[in-house]
Amino acid sequence: MSADTSLPVLTQKDFASDQEIRWCPRCGDYSILAQMKKVLPTLGIPRENIVFVSGIGCSSRFPYYMSTYGMHSIHGRAPAIATGLKVARPELTVFVITGDGDALSIGGNHLMHALRRNVDLKIVMFNNQIYGLTKGQYSPTSPLGKKTKSTPFGSVDRPLNPLSIAISAGATFVARSADVDIKHLTSVLERAANHKGSAFVEVYQDCNVFNSGAFEFATKKDQKEENCIYLEHGKPLIYGKARDKGVRIDGAGNPDIVTLSDVKEDDLLFHDETIDDPTHAFRLAQMRWPDSPEPMGVFRAIERPTYDGEVDRQYKDCIASQGSGDLDKLFNSGDTWEVKAKS
């Protein structure tokens, strides 16, 4: 997506609405909002052609705080509403803002099908591993054993892996970042915004009231380099403060953590985000801290025809071959009858 140089130059202030931001102090949502406002001016898209659709949850207040069009919809249904909008108005750039509860519990079905269809939506999921708006119940991504108001003795549910679901459903762009990793998050959001097709971005977001510190392993400066691998297309998986550790694939096809002094760099796993086969991206998504270093960045970025694009093409082809049609003629075609009033 290239910027239109004929349009007035916008700044991040132009995308800030006049609404009071109502999130808890120090909530990670503030950072995600700030980075989104930085990204939008770089796209060269008029504000009236950008729409934010959200469901229910703390993250879903997002449309109020953007000076664009937006809709605060219903629980879990944002992908379905956004799909309808994108099909009806394919020229619009449509973002879906959702949370781990909104997207993966009641909204799991809608999310899966939006990704499967490759609708040209930019879906940003704030994952804080908790239900924040309803005051601290466990969510579909809460870790096993998590004690919350609804699981006082520890959750016995095994958590969902959002990226694995997105990859399995066929999302053509899949990425992960963290709320306070400002440069990285900005880069990921910009790439997602410019992707043509279903883009799914998981953002680790700190709920400092009900689940504070859940992602310190990926956000603390003295920890993240040892705990995370920052994916770079075409480069080997190397990590660590001293860049002295890496990942290779063992004989069984599983990731194997090695010390670089013991292996050659060519023996390591090289990242290729453009592979159509989802195996590579899925393997990376299965690497989770603390059992292994956790990948951050773009897992997958491939090109496929979009659902909305194919619907628009089909619509235009039908008009070209059959004409615009006559609604009154359609209503009166086939078996019809007239209901007459009694005399």
Side-chain angles (χ1 to χ4, degrees):
M1 184 185 301
S2 58
D4 186 343
T5 56
S6 66
L7 297 171
V9 177
L10 299 174
T11 69
Q12 62 188 82
K13 289 184 179 180
D14 292 314
F15 287 94
S17 77
D18 61 356
Q19 298 297 300
E20 178 187 358
I21 301 177
R22 296 186 178 184
W23 287 318
C24 300
R26 303 191 311 279
C27 174
D29 290 1
Y30 287 98
S31 178
I32 304 172
L33 177 65
Q35 307 334 308
M36 183 65 77
K37 289 176 183 175
K38 288 180 185 177
V39 167
L40 294 184
T42 70
L43 305 180
I45 302 172
R47 290 183 298 170
E48 62 270 22
N49 283 355
I50 299 174
V51 185
F52 284 87
V53 181
S54 66
I56 296 296
C58 295
S59 64
S60 294
R61 298 179 184 272
F62 208 92
Y64 295 108
Y65 309 141
M66 301 301 303
S67 186
T68 64
Y69 282 106
M71 178 182 291
H72 190 178
S73 68
I74 54 180
H75 206 185
R77 272 65 176 184
I81 292 170
T83 295
L85 176 61
K86 185 64 182 179
V87 170
R89 294 286 303 278
E91 75 278 10
L92 298 179
T93 295
V94 183
F95 289 86
V96 173
I97 304 296
T98 184
D100 48 305
D102 183 57
L104 298 174
S105 55
I106 192 171
N109 180 52
H110 298 285
L111 174 67
M112 176 182 70
H113 290 296
L115 297 176
R116 172 182 68 83
R117 291 177 174 129
N118 196 32
V119 186
D120 187 20
L121 303 175
K122 325 306 174 188
I123 303 173
V124 184
M125 192 196 80
F126 300 14
N127 183 7
N128 54 25
Q129 297 184 341
I130 204 78
Y131 277 105
L133 188 66
T134 50
K135 306 300 184 286
Q137 299 83 4
Y138 84 110
S139 84
T141 59
S142 295
L144 193 65
K146 178 70 176 177
K147 291 184 178 181
T148 72
K149 292 180 179 180
S150 56
T151 54
F153 302 104
S155 171
V156 297
D157 271 1
R158 293 195 174 275
L160 287 173
N161 183 330
L163 295 194
S164 292
I165 291 173
I167 294 164
S168 298
T172 52
F173 182 95
V174 179
R176 177 194 287 140
S177 191
D179 52 8
V180 295
D181 198 343
I182 294 173
K183 289 183 179 180
H184 190 264
L185 176 58
T186 301
S187 173
V188 166
L189 290 177
E190 186 170 10
R191 286 203 57 190
N194 282 292
H195 178 74
K196 188 70 173 175
S198 59
F200 180 83
V201 179
E202 176 188 24
V203 183
Y204 283 162
Q205 178 260 326
D206 186 56
C207 177
N208 63 298
V209 174
F210 296 109
N211 198 23
S212 182
F215 302 112
E216 285 186 347
F217 75 91
T219 57
K220 289 287 186 180
K221 290 183 178 179
D222 60 343
Q223 297 182 36
K224 64 180 184 179
E225 290 181 346
E226 288 293 326
N227 299 328
C228 298
I229 297 175
Y230 289 88
L231 300 173
E232 296 180 82
H233 177 64
K235 295 186 178 181
L237 270 62
I238 296 175
Y239 72 102
K241 291 180 181 179
R243 304 284 293 171
D244 58 344
K245 292 181 281 291
V247 179
R248 67 178 179 183
I249 300 300
D250 64 20
N254 299 314
D256 180 29
I257 309 303
V258 295
T259 303
L260 294 191
S261 59
D262 298 333
V263 300
K264 296 178 181 178
E265 187 173 293
D266 288 345
D267 294 331
L268 299 177
L269 176 62
F270 280 68
H271 181 46
D272 187 345
E273 64 188 34
T274 64
I275 302 174
D276 189 67
D277 187 326
T279 304
H280 172 72
F282 192 81
R283 179 189 286 126
L284 294 177
Q286 295 301 299
M287 295 175 61
R288 306 300 296 270
W289 184 87
D291 298 322
S292 69
E294 190 154 313
M296 305 291 284
V298 178
F299 289 62
R300 191 181 198 214
I302 64 172
E303 295 182 5
R304 283 181 183 168
T306 63
Y307 176 81
D308 46 289
E310 289 300 288
V311 169
D312 187 56
R313 178 191 60 77
Q314 191 177 65
Y315 167 71
K316 291 175 180 176
D317 287 348
C318 288
I319 291 178
S321 63
Q322 301 182 38
S324 297
D326 185 326
L327 190 60
D328 186 63
K329 185 178 179 181
L330 176 65
F331 282 150
N332 290 283
S333 63
D335 294 330
T336 62
W337 64 92
E338 182 181 353
V339 177
K340 297 182 178 180
K342 291 183 178 179
S343 56

